Each structure stands twice: as structure tokens, then as C-alpha cells.
Amino acid sequence: MSEEMKQDPGFGSSLALLDALGIGPVWVRRELAVEEIAAEQVQHQAAPALEAAAPDPAITSATPPPVPVNVVAPVARSAPAASPASPQAPAMPRRAAPVEEEGGPPSWLDEMDFAAAMEPVLIPEGDEDEEVPAVDPVIARIKTMDFPQLQQQVAGCRRCGLCEGRKNTVFGVGDEKARWLFIGEGPGRNEDQQGEPFVGPAGKLLDNMLLAMGVKRGANAYIANIVKCRPTDDNGRDRPPSPQEVASCLPYLQRQIELIQPTVLVALGKTAALSLLGLDPATPVSRLRGSVHRYQDLPLVVTYHPAYLLRTLNDKSKAWADLCLALSTYQAQAN
Ligand code: URA
């Protein structure tokens, strides 16, 4: 660990948190015996293990980069209100976990008409020259719903074609008063079958990432997705949601965020980050990492999608740096 990291108060307190939880701040090498791991912990005092659920061939003992200190000012935790003007749902790229990093945007981004998906629906009213934005009555109602009403609405939702193929809607899981909100892309096969987000291999990795932060699924944490139904291609394989599917579903998540009022949002991957920030689809995740963004008045940190990390083990250290940024942001808000 570098001197710079040791000096960093945010990182120091994360280590204290990890120590207190007995997780051990080290990148655990799977082949090490417990005693060796303990010895390594004493020696290194580095980053915690973000163990992949899948077989992990790599030995990762990398020291994470210093925690950036680009932290937003504290935000008061206010009571949720019926939504004022939530931003128009921005357009979304399709599931892109394996290619969301370097090397430029994936090719499917070219197909997206990002601006068009953000356009309000215009209907003529009265004077034919005058165009008045239509108010979707369902969205207007969503903005006033409490959690049970919202969940019921999602369960019966037919706002896009994803409802045709779903087994279950995947509303979200966790503490409705959570201070941590983790947002993924959309349900996969396992999630569709169980009706709960992140229950497959990527979910196991996410649970370990949370554990490393001292956060547990269901306790002070809420996990949700950009879309509530599983997107599949013609061959029944998982695919990213289309911009229209995202636009149809995003009002539910927007209302969930208003109700939860989390202290920090963590966007898991490109789809979540771009959906929530309404950014140009060509924006690579690498450009979004390392600084604290804002979703409305709430701080938002971007990191890699766990499914991407399962395939790109070398980026786990970057993900840990992102989580340290999220932790220091959280601590700054709490103080
Ligand atoms: N990937 C996601 O983005 N969300 C899930 O719930 C599962 C996998």
C-alpha cells in the first residue's frame, strides 16, 4: 500500500470497517490456506477480496489505486415526496457487460437514437401549430405511489414488450430505508425465475463486493435494476434492454429512488450509469469512474458491472477503488 493511500482518511476508515467486520483487507488468493491468508493480511493490509463465484484462475494481489478525494458536499436526507419534475427517462444502451470498458463504445451503440428516445411525446391540442407535451397518466400515478402500490403496479406492468416473455417481474430487494442503493441493468434467467435481482453468479460477486464494503444485502442496502423484466433475444439469451424498454421502465426506478432517498447510489455498469445520468451512449465507463456524479441531488458512483468483472478479473482492483470512493462519499455524507 502506498504512503498516499495510508494518508487517505477515507481509505483508512474503510480498512477499519473491513477489519471490524473480520473480512480482512486483502485480495485473497484462492489457493492460499487460511493461515497464509491471515499472514498476508498482516503483511499487506491492502484491498479486500472481491471473490468471483466462477472459477478464478488469476492470482490477484494488486494494491488498489489511491481513493480519489473528489467527494460531493453532504446532502440532507429528506423525506420522499410525490415526485416533482423527474427527468425524462433517457435512452439506454443494451446489456454490455463484457465490452463496457476500454476499446471504445460497443458497436450496438451506433444503432441507438439517444436523442429521439428522450423526446417527449407531442400531441397537437387546440391550435394546430401548438405542440403540447403529453402527460402519461400512468407515469403521473407512479410518481405518487408508495412501495406496495409501486410493487403491485410493476407486477402487472405491460408498458413494453418485455412483459410477454417474463416469468416474474424483478422489482428490487432490500431495506426500503437503505442508505446504499445498487443499480444493475436488468434481470437475467435466474432473476426472472426467482423474482429477485442479482441471484446468479454476478449476484454472488455483488454480494462479496457489498460484504467487502461492510454492507449486506437487505441490511441498509437496496438492489434494483434499470428494467424490471428480463430482456432476451430471439434465441432466448439475455440481452441489454432497448432504449424504449428503458424509457418505459425507468419511472419505476425513479420513484423507488425518491422513496428510498439513499445516501449514495452505485451504478453497476454502463447501462445503469448512462440511464441514470442521461449521458451520451458513447461515454465509456472508464470516463465515468473516479468521480462522484449526481442523480438529481444524490451522489452517484459508477463502477463495473459484476458480470463484466467475472470476465475481466484484472479490473477488480479498479472496482475496489470505485467502492472505496463510494465509501468515502458515504462517510462524508454521514458526517
Ligand atoms: N445483471 C443485472 O444487471 N441485474 C441482475 O439482476 C442480474 C444480472
Side-chain angles (χ1 to χ4, degrees):
M1 176 164 50
S2 70
E3 279 311 307
E4 195 183 348
M5 287 173 66
K6 286 183 193 157
Q7 307 287 330
D8 187 283
F11 193 81
S13 47
S14 327
L15 289 181
L17 175 64
L18 294 165
D19 275 336
L21 288 157
I23 296 166
V26 66
W27 287 82
V28 175
R29 296 175 359 203
R30 288 195 160 195
E31 72 277 27
L32 291 184
V34 171
E35 299 76 17
E36 290 174 283
I37 292 169
E40 279 222 345
Q41 284 182 338
V42 173
Q43 277 177 14
H44 294 294
Q45 292 287 297
L50 303 184
E51 285 273 294
D56 187 345
I59 295 171
T60 311
S61 57
T63 303
V67 181
V69 286
N70 178 12
V71 174
V72 294
V75 175
R77 186 176 163 92
S78 55
S83 162
S86 292
Q88 186 80 23
M92 257 312 86
R94 293 185 241 147
R95 185 166 298 180
V99 288
E100 71 185 14
E101 188 36 13
E102 332 300 345
S107 56
W108 50 261
L109 285 169
D110 299 340
E111 300 162 27
M112 285 185 54
D113 189 348
F114 195 73
M118 294 190 68
E119 288 278 308
V121 181
L122 298 177
I123 50 166
E125 191 181 273
D127 181 349
E128 278 186 12
D129 292 338
E130 197 183 324
E131 287 186 326
V132 179
V135 178
D136 182 329
V138 180
I139 294 181
R141 272 198 296 121
I142 288 170
K143 288 179 178 182
T144 67
M145 287 179 181
D146 60 17
F147 252 102
Q149 291 168 331
L150 198 58
Q151 188 151 12
Q152 198 180 7
Q153 184 77 21
V154 167
C157 180
R158 305 196 66 79
R159 284 173 59 77
C160 78
L162 294 184
C163 64
E164 304 294 345
R166 76 181 173 218
K167 190 161 190 289
N168 288 296
T169 54
V170 179
F171 180 70
V173 70
D175 178 357
E176 289 166 12
K177 294 277 165 245
R179 289 177 173 259
W180 285 103
L181 177 56
F182 295 85
I183 300 168
E185 180 178 89
R189 178 188 298 277
N190 295 307
E191 291 76 20
D192 177 58
Q193 278 170 1
Q194 296 182 39
E196 184 172 330
F198 284 101
V199 290
K204 290 207 175 73
L205 177 57
L206 177 61
D207 284 342
N208 283 341
M209 290 163 74
L210 301 192
L211 207 59
M213 300 170 74
V215 179
K216 210 170 154 226
R217 182 185 283 243
N220 200 22
Y222 196 90
I223 303 172
N225 281 310
I226 295 294
V227 295
K228 312 292 189 203
C229 297
R230 180 189 179 204
T232 52
D233 65 18
D234 292 343
N235 298 315
R237 288 182 302 231
D238 291 345
R239 65 162 172 83
S242 71
Q244 290 71 26
E245 289 158 355
V246 171
S248 300
C249 211
L250 206 51
Y252 296 126
L253 180 62
Q254 288 171 332
R255 184 60 185 154
Q256 281 173 301
I257 296 172
E258 279 175 350
L259 289 166
I260 296 170
Q261 284 288 304
T263 301
V264 178
L265 289 89
V266 180
L268 302 166
K270 188 166 192 160
T271 298
L274 297 185
S275 301
L276 292 167
L277 297 173
L279 293 175
D280 186 296
T283 313
V285 170
S286 56
R287 210 177 304 154
L288 301 176
R289 294 184 49 248
S291 53
V292 180
H293 304 268
R294 292 235 166 228
Y295 168 83
Q296 298 190 344
D297 63 341
L298 302 172
L300 181 149
V301 172
V302 176
T303 192
Y304 296 115
H305 192 286
Y308 168 82
L309 292 173
L310 285 175
R311 285 177 265 245
T312 319
L313 301 174
N314 285 345
D315 278 347
K316 280 191 190 175
S317 59
K318 293 189 195 167
W320 174 240
D322 300 334
L323 299 183
C324 288
L325 175 60
L327 276 166
S328 59
T329 304
Y330 180 89
Q331 284 156 0
Q333 303 294 306
N335 292 333

